[in-house]
Amino acid sequence: MARRLLVAALAVAVTIATTMGSAGAEPPSWQPVPVPAQVRPQAGLNEAVALGPDRAWAVGADAVGREAPGFPLILRWDGSAWQRQSLPGIGWQGELLSIAATSPTAVWAVGRDSAGGAHLLRFDGIAWYESRPPRGVALTKVVAGGGETWLIGSRNGAQVLLRRHGNGWRDVPVPPGFVYGLHILAADDVWAAGATDSGATVSHWNGQTWRQTIVDGFPRSAVGSVLAVSPTEVWAGGTAGFVGGPPGRPIPPLLVRWDGQAWSRVAVPTDFGSISSLAPTTSGAPIWVSVARSQKWGPPGSYPPLVPGPDFLAWNGQSFTEYSEPAVAGEGDSRVFLLAPVPGTATVWSVGRADGPEGTFAARVLRFG
Amino acid sequence: MNGLRAFIVCLVVACAAVVSPVVVVSPAAAVPRSWSALPVPAAAPPVIVSDLAARGPGEAWATGYEYAADEWRPILYRWDGTTWSRDTTIPGAGEPGWLGKMQFVGEEMWILHSRAGVVEILRRSAGGWSAVPLPQELWTYQDFAAVPGAAWVIGEDDTGLKVLRYDGSGWTTQSTPDGVLYLMGITARTATDAWAWADTDTGTTVLRWDGTAWRDAKVSLPPNSNVHTIMLEPSGRVTIGGSRYTDGVARTYLMTGNGHAWHTTYPPLGDTDTEAMVRGPDGALWLPVRSDRAFQSRYARVDGLRTTFSYGPERTNAIDVKPRALARAGSSLLSFGTVEIYGSKPNLMSERLGG
């Protein structure tokens, strides 16, 4: 009787240990998520936005030829798979560059056709349709936040910013230099990442004026992403710039942080590449940093001297945890990672384009958590 | 009342006939329908297509070269009216070399052929293959033309421009007018009527051979222009295609004439190269153009002042479809070129319109 009890107890213990072991054995990592088969080669994704665990959007282009322009591409995540969104009213060729949403029924995308013309698409909860873009503006990005929707573009070569006002778009004053990215907290609380001739800049809009700071003065440094976690914690990422040859020499990434007093450079565990995206997750979960073309010095004396560096960095408040993208059969490495956090969760999407076979490129979707 | 009703019906029918588009189809020029894909046995990529030539609906040939076992090798394909197949009977099939332009000469087919570094004219007759060696080696073989009684190979050697002419039994070296630096291309209609376009110290010039000498044909090409091709037709019509440069922007032009009076047009083709232009079975000019779709080829049809475009068949997972040469095969139009399917190197493709 005692022995039978012991055997039973042991069996239960082993079962519990195995279950716990299999559940806890694999730490979370970045996994590839299949792109729908209807996406035609060559394809690439430029940005994504997630509204919740069961709804996300990604934009880019597909059927891009060696010389021929492709077609605008929108993918929709429905909670279990990505689907290709049909766009019956969209007759132009080109690509969608950017997507942002203020709500599940107010999603905007910015595109450029093969003649260089700007396009603005809007999703109202039911369908995607063309919306009239601001006249004369070449659009590159749409950014949403705090109920606001802003557009980044240029007019006759000059930087412009516009914000949604009523049924139209209104120009907003621009900080000096270029603006590559925004983080919008409210109509009177907007951070901009960019660059001037003096280096990488981060600017803040208080509803009336811009206040600009040069966060790195190295020639040709620039930041393209900015993330304001709080008034005393703002991150910006980009490229550290370089002067001198040889041509093609990789450039170090730039990551800076505002602590309420000053901007300081944050060391990253990779030597070359550029910060392509910053993403917050829920409080308690890390801030994500993606690095495009990440490379670092290999062991001394090794050849080639540079080895692949981490593609994703998770900041836990103290240090970075490094992650590499998973291998995808038949494809090479990604060229860029655009992050889209899923609100209210620790899940993050990454979209971009990766090297395909025979010098082609392919759309890539990865997910963490 | 019946008579009135009948009259009204006739009136309505007559009006409908006037209002709705009526297409007159003559047996000789069938209205083209759509392009279809013709399977072509694969070559060893990379593969280059040189030429396509057809003689009636049941015979067409395509030449080029493939990269096999670390060397370029000639390829010859044959169309029998239904399928494309590879012809491996050519002399030197397994040796390094290339096949270039083809010309039908009487009952024969002549092809410019490089075999293990030596260039010759390969002749195909009902009895088999024979070769006409060139009298000398050239640095470059720019073009080749052949008609009954005469063949030309033009190029360059270390002494400069060379025009080699074969009269059926022997070769002569022909001279060109002063100021001619290089001949870019040659087309022949008969042994005493051949045209060439040349690079001279005053720009591009059209020359003509009349059986005795090469002379300036006194063709007033558009200013700042070059020539892609000269098309000679049995009727006597001549069509010149080229690019005209204005403020650094190139635009395709076409000049048609009988050799003395010319008419120049600028069809909406951007700066498309007209080298592959042919007269189609419907009497219009056809040429492949750069496609704006990764998965389909595109063709232009130029009929006087009217230019229309058509797409080739959709090819799944194709990222580049490039017809290189066209030929009229009876009442259909054939194209031959390459297609790159995502994940593979470009390989051969063929399409047909009509038939």
Side-chain angles (χ1 to χ4, degrees):
Chain A
M1 183 58 178
R3 177 186 286 181
R4 219 179 278 162
L5 214 54
L6 183 62
V7 167
L10 263 171
V12 170
V14 166
T15 311
I16 292 173
T18 317
T19 317
M20 279 186 61
S22 61
E26 303 287 336
S29 61
W30 288 90
Q31 296 296 326
V33 179
V35 170
Q38 296 79 21
V39 173
R40 303 162 293 180
Q42 308 173 87
L45 294 169
N46 292 319
E47 196 166 29
V49 64
L51 295 145
D54 297 333
R55 182 49 54 98
W57 299 95
V59 295
D62 82 331
V64 180
R66 286 291 189 190
E67 294 170 348
F71 292 79
L73 175 69
I74 300 186
L75 300 182
R76 179 185 81 250
W77 171 257
D78 63 8
S80 52
W82 286 95
Q83 317 273 359
R84 198 224 174 106
Q85 178 78 28
S86 69
L87 302 171
I90 312 302
W92 49 274
Q93 283 186 251
E95 65 177 319
L96 293 172
L97 304 170
S98 177
I99 186 168
T102 46
S103 79
T105 56
V107 189
W108 295 88
V110 151
R112 179 174 52 220
D113 63 37
S114 50
H119 291 262
L120 194 55
L121 301 186
R122 182 172 179 177
F123 179 74
D124 62 359
I126 299 170
W128 282 92
Y129 56 93
E130 294 251 26
S131 176
R132 190 147 45 115
R135 197 202 318 258
V137 180
L139 297 171
T140 53
K141 241 171 125 66
V142 55
V143 185
E148 294 273 299
T149 309
W150 285 41
L151 296 173
I152 305 178
S154 62
R155 193 186 278 123
N156 298 324
Q159 185 78 56
V160 299
L161 292 173
L162 304 112
R163 62 178 287 274
R164 186 74 178 164
H165 183 89
N167 280 336
W169 299 92
R170 214 176 248 195
D171 273 78
V172 178
V174 296
F178 298 104
V179 175
Y180 298 125
L182 297 171
H183 186 196
I184 304 169
L185 296 157
D188 58 358
D189 191 6
V190 179
W191 293 86
T196 64
D197 288 341
S198 307
T201 58
V202 176
S203 311
H204 183 261
W205 171 254
N206 63 3
Q208 314 236 308
T209 56
W210 286 99
R211 195 188 73 240
Q212 185 173 79
T213 310
I214 296 172
V215 297
D216 188 286
F218 203 84
R220 289 201 278 282
S221 67
V223 284
S225 307
V226 60
L227 178 66
V229 178
S230 75
T232 55
E233 189 186 352
V234 182
W235 297 77
T239 173
F242 196 77
V243 174
R249 182 177 170 158
I251 297 173
L254 176 65
L255 186 64
V256 292
R257 186 179 61 203
W258 168 257
D259 62 4
Q261 309 273 8
W263 286 93
S264 56
R265 187 136 175 201
V266 179
V268 292
T270 190
D271 299 308
F272 301 103
S274 61
I275 309 287
S276 46
S277 199
L278 300 170
T281 43
T282 55
S283 64
I287 292 169
W288 283 96
V289 179
S290 68
V291 186
R293 295 299 197 203
S294 176
Q295 290 178 296
K296 56 186 183 185
W297 293 109
S302 65
Y303 188 81
L306 294 177
V307 298
D311 304 308
F312 302 101
L313 305 170
W315 174 257
N316 63 6
Q318 319 261 9
S319 60
F320 286 109
T321 307
E322 303 172 37
Y323 296 86
S324 291
E325 71 169 330
V328 173
E331 294 175 10
D333 296 334
S334 288
R335 303 177 186 183
V336 69
F337 304 96
L338 284 313
L339 301 175
V342 181
T345 73
T347 303
V348 187
W349 290 101
S350 168
V351 301
R353 73 167 65 177
D355 292 335
E358 300 291 336
T360 58
F361 56 85
R364 178 157 297 179
V365 179
L366 305 169
R367 184 175 57 181
F368 184 89
Chain B
M1 200 52 186
N2 275 350
L4 181 61
R5 194 178 294 165
F7 173 75
I8 290 171
V9 168
C10 285
L11 200 58
V12 168
V13 169
C15 285
V18 166
V19 163
S20 62
V22 174
V23 179
V24 176
V25 179
S26 58
V31 174
R33 301 212 163 267
S34 60
W35 292 89
S36 56
L38 303 174
V40 181
V47 56
I48 309 289
V49 171
S50 299
D51 199 6
L52 173 69
R55 177 161 55 185
E59 185 188 358
W61 298 87
T63 55
Y65 38 108
E66 65 178 358
Y67 200 73
D70 293 327
E71 59 190 17
W72 290 104
R73 289 200 192 152
I75 57 170
L76 179 68
Y77 281 76
R78 180 178 185 165
W79 167 257
D80 64 3
T82 319
T83 49
W84 279 104
S85 59
R86 176 112 178 227
D87 184 319
T88 50
T89 68
I90 43 166
E95 296 170 43
W98 46 260
L99 287 177
K101 192 160 154 194
M102 277 181 290
Q103 302 270 268
F104 289 109
V105 180
E107 293 299 310
E108 299 186 350
M109 188 188 62
W110 292 25
I111 318 175
L112 196 65
H113 177 215
S114 170
R115 180 177 182 172
V118 177
V119 177
E120 61 186 11
I121 298 175
L122 207 54
R123 295 168 57 164
R124 187 183 184 277
S125 66
W129 294 96
S130 60
V132 177
L134 262 52
Q136 63 163 105
E137 210 177 299
L138 297 177
W139 280 356
T140 56
Y141 299 85
Q142 185 66 27
D143 205 358
F144 161 61
V147 289
W152 284 267
V153 175
I154 59 171
E156 187 178 50
D157 69 3
D158 55 353
T159 66
L161 149 70
K162 274 283 172 301
V163 181
L164 306 173
R165 182 174 176 277
Y166 180 69
D167 63 7
S169 51
W171 289 89
T172 50
T173 305
Q174 296 190 319
S175 57
T176 49
D178 289 340
V180 171
L181 304 169
Y182 193 74
L183 288 198
M184 308 297 294
I186 185 169
T187 320
R189 187 158 29 203
T190 69
T192 55
D193 184 14
W195 295 64
W197 54 104
D199 192 31
T200 72
D201 43 24
T202 54
T204 309
T205 303
V206 176
L207 306 177
R208 191 168 180 183
W209 164 262
D210 62 1
T212 51
W214 282 98
R215 276 179 257 270
D216 188 331
K218 300 269 191 283
V219 177
S220 295
L221 296 173
N224 291 328
S225 64
N226 61 20
V227 172
H228 310 143
T229 191
I230 297 182
M231 224 170 67
L232 303 173
E233 294 174 83
S235 62
R237 179 162 48 177
V238 182
T239 308
I240 304 175
S243 289
R244 174 181 176 173
Y245 290 81
T246 311
D247 295 325
V249 177
R251 220 168 27 133
T252 300
Y253 72 85
L254 292 177
M255 281 180 77
T256 45
N258 57 12
H260 304 290
W262 299 93
H263 177 59
T264 306
T265 57
Y266 294 87
L269 295 173
D271 66 344
T272 301
D273 192 318
T274 57
E275 193 186 344
M277 179 172 64
V278 299
R279 179 77 56 191
D282 60 352
L285 292 172
W286 287 81
L287 60 153
V289 296
R290 176 183 278 217
S291 179
D292 57 354
R293 295 183 188 167
F295 45 83
Q296 282 176 305
S297 56
R298 196 155 183 252
Y299 302 92
R301 176 183 183 272
V302 181
D303 189 4
L305 291 174
R306 214 168 83 96
T307 303
T308 52
F309 297 90
S310 53
Y311 286 105
E314 285 197 33
R315 294 169 180 271
T316 307
N317 290 336
I319 62 174
D320 201 20
V321 189
K322 277 196 151 61
R324 290 289 186 196
L326 297 183
R328 175 188 172 174
S331 63
S332 55
L333 196 53
L334 285 179
S335 77
F336 204 85
T338 57
V339 57
E340 182 175 3
I341 304 293
Y342 177 80
S344 304
K345 290 185 167 55
N347 215 311
L348 299 171
M349 74 89 184
S350 178
E351 292 170 347
R352 175 172 60 174
L353 183 68

